[in-house]
């Protein structure tokens, strides 16, 4: 694993807990973690259960005792590490967004395909049992034709103008701001549940244009460094409209300026026969409305998706004994282990990463040109 903070903790925990709940044909062995600061990476390795550490990720790629490279570093490092890993014949899992831009993302997809390694991108929210159950209901036709998706990802952790200029707010490290960070998640959920995008039009804004310099310290916490200020060159908020190939319409809003919303990842989908609603902060529940319910009893019902009928949930606890954020990663890693033992790349994989990146970039292009952008206008390479 390269990197060891927020996502490093989530992934390490998932690898360790996975065999506890799932019987997979291969099991993860936490062989080595890489970080640039020897003191810190050693502490992280000890705490999170890694057998050894390296101070240069390139050493991980060279090691013969490593089969899978897990990338949990900032976005500007994903492409170089993933391509080097694939060229060395190692399987790759990479955090989202896949890359800084579509061109990089396509090079990453090309590298994993050419070298025939298993690949995944870590859109973990797909793996909440309630989201998987939503997918099952849609696939079974229980909602009929889908008309609408409205999805929001609302946070508020940088509203204080003195919150520092961390890597997530610097274009050269992150690519885009709120857009690539959390709009990426809701558009991935939309692709998972509703299908491929046809065209988009968006708007973005940066409310606080200058901040004191600082760095992330784990989770979404940060510390100030003494002295200077720097320019914020990424979006604080991104909102866009979409048409899907199926004819459905989408409304999306992602922001870090929605006071009181700590991690409001929510969607509602309306179809001809019913509707569903989901909210990460109440992630075990799916709200379901079915139009063929008896008159007088119609309305949204709450399904607590903790039963064996709900994908992944049966591996955990008896019905009603709820699970949390970390279990979305365990479920995703279970799919990855199956992919590695059986030789395929489970969804979401680098192809999803490229398609998501194309939507992100199409929205950015629409903001620049103040017009609708068709996904087919986005230049996907010939080998894609
Ligand atoms: N799936 C999710 O829900 C989710 C949530 C948060 C972050 N992410 C993604 O995970 C990735 C990491 O984010 P995070 O929140 O864990 O960040 P973080 O700041 O908490 O940790 C980043 C880690 O990368 C290391 N690092 C930074 N630059 C490096 C370099 N050049 N070489 C080697 N190591 C380097 C840091 O030392 C640190 O260990 C990002 O791509 C982010 O978008 C995904």
């Amino acid at each position: 694993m390269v990197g060891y903070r927020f996502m490093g903790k989530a992934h390490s925990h998932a690898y360790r807990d996975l065999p506890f709940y799932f019987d997979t044909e291969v099991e993860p062995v936490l062989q080595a973690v890489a970080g640039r600061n020897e003191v810190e990476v050693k502490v992280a390795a000890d705490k999170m259960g890694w057998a050894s550490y390296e101070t240069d990720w390139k050493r991980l790629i060279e090691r013969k005792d490593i089969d899978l490279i897990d990338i949990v570093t900032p976005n500007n490092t994903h492409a170089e590490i993933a391509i080097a890993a694939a060229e060395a014949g190692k399987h790759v899992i990479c955090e989202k967004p896949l890359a800084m831009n579509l061109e990089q993302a396509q090079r990453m997809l090309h590298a994993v395909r050419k070298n025939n390694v298993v690949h995944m991108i870590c859109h973990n929210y797909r793996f909440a049992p309630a989201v998987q159950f939503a997918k099952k209901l849609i696939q079974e036709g229980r909602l009929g034709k889908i008309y609408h998706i409205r999805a929001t990802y609302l946070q508020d952790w940088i509203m204080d103008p003195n919150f520092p200029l961390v890597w997530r707010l610097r274009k050269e490290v992150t690519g885009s701001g709120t857009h690539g960070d959390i709009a990426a998640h809701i558009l991935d959920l939309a692709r998972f549940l509703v299908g491929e995008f046809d065209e988009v039009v968006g708007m973005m804004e940066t409310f606080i244009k200058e901040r004191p310099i600082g760095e992330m310290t784990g989770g979404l916490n940060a510390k100030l460094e003494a002295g200077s200020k720097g320019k914020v060159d990424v979006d604080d908020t991104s909102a866009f409209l979409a048409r899907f190939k199926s004819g459905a319409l989408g409304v999306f809003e992602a922001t870090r300026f929605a006071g009181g919303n700590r991690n409001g990842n929510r969607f509602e989908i309306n179809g001809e026969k019913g509707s569903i609603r989901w909210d990460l902060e109440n992630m075990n529940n799916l709200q379901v409305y079915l139009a063929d319910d008896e008159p007088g009893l119609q309305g949204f019902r709450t399904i607590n998706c903790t039963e064996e009928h709900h994908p992944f949930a049966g591996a955990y606890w008896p019905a009603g004994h709820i699970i949390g954020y970390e279990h979305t990663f365990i479920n995703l890693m279970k799919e990855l282990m199956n992919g590695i033992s059986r030789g395929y790349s489970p969804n979401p994989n680098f192809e999803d990463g490229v398609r998501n990146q194309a939507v992100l970039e199409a929205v950015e292009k629409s903001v620049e040109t103040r017009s609708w952008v068709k996904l087919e206008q986005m230049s996907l390479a010939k080998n894609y």
Side-chain angles (χ1 to χ4, degrees):
M1 186 172 77
V2 191
Y4 51 79
R5 283 217 188 93
F6 182 13
M7 281 306 105
K9 186 171 172 179
H11 289 212
S12 302
H13 171 267
Y15 292 129
R16 290 182 64 168
D17 251 23
L18 169 73
F20 203 93
Y21 298 108
F22 293 102
D23 295 321
T24 47
E25 287 151 15
V26 296
E27 287 185 1
V29 178
L30 282 72
Q31 202 76 335
V33 57
R36 295 158 302 171
N37 178 316
E38 181 159 12
V39 175
E40 285 187 19
V41 72
K42 184 174 184 325
V43 170
D46 289 346
K47 171 113 180 147
M48 301 194 297
W50 293 86
S52 63
Y53 67 86
E54 300 287 353
T55 53
D56 183 347
W57 61 264
K58 293 195 172 108
R59 276 284 305 133
L60 292 186
I61 309 275
E62 288 159 10
R63 278 175 59 162
K64 303 258 179 295
D65 60 343
I66 289 172
D67 304 310
L68 166 70
I69 298 287
D70 184 336
I71 304 168
V72 285
T73 45
N75 311 342
N76 63 337
T77 63
H78 292 183
E80 188 187 3
I81 302 171
I83 292 169
E87 307 256 283
K90 303 200 188 293
H91 308 304
V92 195
I93 178 164
C94 184
E95 262 303 344
K96 48 49 60 181
L98 191 58
M100 300 282 279
N101 53 48
L102 184 55
E103 184 272 328
Q104 262 191 5
Q106 288 182 84
R107 279 198 285 117
M108 292 165 78
L109 177 61
H110 180 65
V112 290
R113 280 186 176 161
K114 189 179 86 186
N115 292 288
N116 208 17
V117 296
V118 172
H119 47 97
M120 273 189 95
I121 178 170
C122 198
H123 279 292
N124 54 301
Y125 296 122
R126 287 189 182 204
F127 293 92
V131 173
Q132 292 276 322
F133 189 57
K135 168 87 174 173
K136 185 165 176 278
L137 292 178
I138 292 170
Q139 270 178 333
E140 288 171 357
R142 301 293 287 265
L143 305 191
K145 183 176 167 53
I146 303 300
Y147 295 130
H148 290 288
I149 176 167
R150 62 192 66 79
T152 55
Y153 203 146
L154 310 179
Q155 299 184 334
D156 64 355
W157 57 282
I158 61 166
M159 287 183 73
D160 178 351
N162 287 318
F163 186 93
L165 187 66
V166 293
W167 71 257
R168 279 182 161 82
L169 304 180
R170 291 172 45 217
K171 191 174 174 62
E172 61 172 342
V173 187
T174 184
S176 67
T178 300
H179 190 52
D181 194 25
I182 54 177
H185 275 305
I186 52 177
L187 72 85
D188 179 71
L189 287 173
R191 284 191 49 255
F192 180 53
L193 295 167
V194 178
E196 296 303 334
F197 285 71
D198 180 27
E199 57 179 348
V200 292
V201 64
M203 57 182 177
M204 291 180 181
E205 190 52 73
T206 306
F207 298 120
I208 309 282
K209 307 220 184 307
E210 202 182 58
R211 290 177 180 273
I213 308 291
E215 63 170 70
M216 302 296 294
T217 56
L220 293 178
N221 300 317
K223 68 171 187 225
L224 287 172
E225 281 166 11
S228 56
K229 285 195 160 196
K231 185 172 170 295
V232 179
D233 53 3
V234 295
D235 55 288
D236 286 334
T237 180
S238 133
F240 59 99
L241 305 177
R243 282 182 188 279
F244 288 81
K245 292 215 160 113
S246 65
L249 302 187
V251 179
F252 298 84
E253 184 185 14
T255 179
R256 294 165 172 159
F257 278 72
N261 291 273
R262 299 296 196 247
N263 205 26
N265 175 359
R266 305 177 190 127
F267 62 75
E268 177 167 319
I269 295 174
N270 311 117
E272 62 181 336
K273 297 192 213 162
S275 296
I276 50 176
R277 289 179 183 152
W278 181 74
D279 178 353
L280 172 66
E281 291 180 347
N282 201 355
M283 61 166 270
N284 288 278
N285 288 346
L286 187 69
Q287 304 274 331
V288 181
Y289 162 77
L290 295 174
D292 61 4
D293 277 349
E294 201 181 310
L297 283 175
Q298 288 194 350
F300 278 92
R301 71 189 76 167
T302 302
I303 314 288
N304 191 238
C305 297
T306 54
E307 310 206 1
E308 62 195 34
H309 314 286
H310 305 120
F312 296 99
Y316 295 99
W317 311 113
H321 294 62
I322 54 175
I323 59 166
Y325 176 67
E326 65 271 37
H327 297 85
T328 61
F329 292 92
I330 301 175
N331 296 342
L332 185 150
M333 294 307 181
K334 181 220 169 196
E335 293 300 294
L336 178 62
M337 292 304 125
N338 285 344
I340 289 172
S341 62
R342 296 171 202 172
Y344 67 95
S345 296
N347 295 102
N349 56 38
F350 280 21
E351 183 172 340
D352 294 286
V354 168
R355 288 184 185 275
N356 291 350
Q357 204 87 43
V359 179
L360 287 171
E361 209 157 296
V363 172
E364 287 174 310
K365 195 168 167 191
S366 96
V367 173
E368 275 162 36
T369 58
R370 299 176 74 83
S371 60
W372 283 87
V373 174
K374 285 256 182 209
L375 263 294
E376 66 198 23
Q377 282 171 245
M378 303 311 294
S379 54
L380 294 175
K382 287 194 195 70
N383 54 21
Y384 165 69

